[in-house]
Amino acid sequence: MNDMSRPNMNSSIQAIGHAINGRAVPGNSGRAQDVFNPATGAVSARVALANAAEVGTAVAAAQAAFPAWADTPPIRRARVMFKFLELLNQNKDKLAHMITAEHGKVFSDAQGEVSRGIDIVEFACGIPQLLKGDFTDQVSTGIDNWTLRQPLGVVAGITPFNFPVMVPMWMFPVAIAAGNCFILKPSPIDPSASLYMAELLKQAGLPDGVFNVVQGDKEAVDALLVHPDVKAVSFVGSTPIANYIYETGAHHGKRVQALGGAKNHMVVMPDADLEQAVDALIGAGYGSAGERCMAISVAVLVGNVADKLVPMLAARAKTLVVKNGVELDAEMGPIVTAAAHQRITGYINTGVQEGAELLVDGRGFTGQSAGAGCDQGFWMGGTLFDHVTPEMRIYKEEIFGPVLGCVRVKDLAEAVNLINAHEFGNGVSCFTRDGNVAREFSRRIQVGMVGINVPIPVPMAWHGFGGWKKSLFGDMHAYGEEGVRFYTKQKSIMQRWPESIGKGAEFVMPTAK
């Protein structure tokens, strides 16, 4: 990694600072926190936590860069994105290694995260087409009308620990390509990838100040939310924080899209291919240690399918390969932090107390079998509950860990009603061979992203990502064409020339003539 991500090389522990106006900037707030390798439990770095003054410096740099960048023709902005795309493809494994080292997810999963982020950059390269407006000739005698989309100004993204590359790329490629200047506030848990992306953007020819990274916690977030020059905020994280971001940002006159929590269900119908359903539940439930907003955490088993499927699930969960993510045969890595490990353990304890049947208990897994040096890591195995009921906390609340609960229902109608009654509506899946079941389920389910025999239905770059109910605060989804609309404002222009203007004042509402 280059100097952009190492503003202070004098300490034995790497000091991670900010990237402001094209330069590496060490933190000067006097506050910092440790960055851990979750597999070993060792401190790998210390990341600065910005104060309001440092956030203000980044906003000022972005504000100064905005006029020239907004005036840059979209095709030239797209060329910067094309170069960034080229550099990302050359360095995607380096980014994936950074993710594994600080987040803990297995390397192949980290590679997939980077690839899905790259998809959004490819989409953003089409910004000249995406910004095209509409034109109507002769809307009235001698008058033409057209629309155009213009950038907002300085916009910010506040992103979570679980996707330190992909989620920022849901935001900044589209925002920058549309002519905005961007400030990224990544999670302090895994901050390195954000600085490396800043360096690649600089190498791609992005002018200084157009993309800035400010490390930090709530103090930095609040500074962005109240700063008058920040025109829009994008957020991905838990529902309570999403609600806070939305209300605070909107109160201060900002456009806000805040993606919140989830409790994603997968319905398994009696006619489903059970081997495929088990594979889907294991991968979607335990992949990335369940630390995904699209993870399947509830299996809704219809009719007699439960008695066949649950033993298959339990057998597979017991053989889950839990290892250091750098091991190529690893299926699941460690939990991201000690605090998260403690929280997930508490949920498992609660599930037992509430009466759910614990079939596979991940609490006893230790790092001794995960690889050399992993004894002190944040390790947990996959956990499987059966006979979970809707009043249980492990059903109602987002656990964000490798815990899968099975709920038994009698038919499809009960499954749909169960899911529709939940406060979250992010993602859902249904495994069936019946086309009518698939159609009715897709139409009647009150969830924003639906998969039919697809366990994690994350939309592709040109479709857009977003849930319903308490999984999304705001009107527009992330990336895709809605992302372009979010980061731009429409202007309508009506034009006529003196030779076509009649004599005399008009005192009535203008109408087409």
Side-chain angles (χ1 to χ4, degrees), residues 290-313:
E291 295 170 332
R292 297 171 174 159
C293 65
M294 290 294 284
I296 295 294
S297 54
V298 181
V300 183
L301 308 179
V302 178
N304 63 1
V305 76
D307 292 334
K308 304 173 188 176
L309 190 74
V310 169
M312 298 169 66
L313 268 179

Side-chain angles (χ1 to χ4, degrees), residues 173-480:
V174 176
I176 288 173
N180 300 282
C181 292
F182 197 92
I183 297 171
L184 173 62
K185 205 299 292 179
S187 169
I189 291 172
D190 40 17
S192 293
S194 61
L195 295 175
Y196 191 60
M197 290 188 290
E199 177 59 31
L200 294 182
L201 282 165
K202 186 175 177 67
Q203 291 180 27
L206 191 71
D208 292 346
V210 176
F211 180 77
N212 306 274
V213 177
V214 177
Q215 312 288 357
D217 53 7
K218 186 177 184 296
E219 185 172 342
V221 169
D222 286 342
L224 289 168
L225 291 175
V226 303
H227 199 295
D229 288 335
V230 176
K231 303 304 181 186
V233 175
S234 300
F235 171 81
V236 175
S238 68
T239 284
I241 306 302
N243 192 18
Y244 171 78
I245 295 286
Y246 180 73
E247 290 183 351
T248 307
H251 177 75
H252 287 87
K254 304 184 192 316
R255 186 177 291 188
V256 183
Q257 58 177 193
L259 282 67
K263 196 71 178 180
N264 304 314
H265 301 69
M266 183 174 131
V267 176
V268 182
M269 297 298 294
D271 68 333
D273 184 308
L274 295 190
E275 293 287 348
Q276 290 180 357
V278 168
D279 285 345
L281 284 167
I282 292 294
Y286 301 123
S288 198
E291 295 170 332
R292 297 171 174 159
C293 65
M294 290 294 284
I296 295 294
S297 54
V298 181
V300 183
L301 308 179
V302 178
N304 63 1
V305 76
D307 292 334
K308 304 173 188 176
L309 190 74
V310 169
M312 298 169 66
L313 268 179
R316 181 67 180 84
K318 290 174 182 176
T319 62
L320 197 66
V321 180
V322 184
K323 282 187 175 182
N324 190 329
V326 299
E327 302 290 339
L328 296 183
D329 63 336
E331 294 177 328
M332 189 177 97
I335 305 303
V336 67
T337 64
H341 187 282
Q342 184 178 11
R343 186 196 72 248
I344 297 164
T345 300
Y347 272 110
I348 298 171
N349 297 340
T350 298
V352 173
Q353 294 166 6
E354 290 178 324
E357 183 180 357
L358 182 60
L359 300 179
V360 184
D361 187 354
R363 292 173 295 181
F365 187 89
T366 65
Q368 294 176 348
S369 59
C374 292
D375 289 4
Q376 302 302 312
F378 314 132
W379 293 98
M380 178 178 288
T383 293
L384 179 66
F385 282 104
D386 193 11
H387 298 288
V388 175
T389 56
E391 67 274 7
M392 295 179 179
R393 282 186 62 200
I394 61 168
Y395 173 78
K396 293 188 291 186
E397 298 177 16
E398 183 177 34
I399 299 173
F400 222 66
V403 181
L404 179 62
C406 296
V407 177
R408 298 175 180 230
V409 298
K410 66 180 185 295
D411 54 26
L412 178 64
E414 185 179 350
V416 169
N417 290 336
L418 175 82
I419 297 166
N420 286 350
H422 204 285
E423 66 175 343
F424 295 128
N426 206 47
V428 71
S429 179
C430 179
F431 270 58
T432 181
R433 299 175 189 267
D434 189 317
N436 185 63
V437 166
R439 183 177 186 273
E440 288 301 302
F441 181 83
S442 299
R443 293 186 66 248
R444 300 188 186 282
I445 208 71
Q446 295 174 18
V447 176
M449 292 170 283
V450 181
I452 302 299
N453 300 315
V454 176
I456 302 181
V458 177
M460 294 304 293
W462 47 95
H463 282 289
F465 181 104
W468 286 10
K469 297 185 280 191
K470 288 189 177 180
S471 294
L472 175 67
F473 297 84
D475 299 323
M476 287 183 253
H477 291 185
Y479 65 83

Side-chain angles (χ1 to χ4, degrees), residues 21 59-71 154 179 181 207-212:
N21 206 24
V59 174
Q63 185 72 10
F66 173 65
W69 184 243
D71 277 347
V154 179
C181 292
D208 292 346
V210 176
F211 180 77
N212 306 274

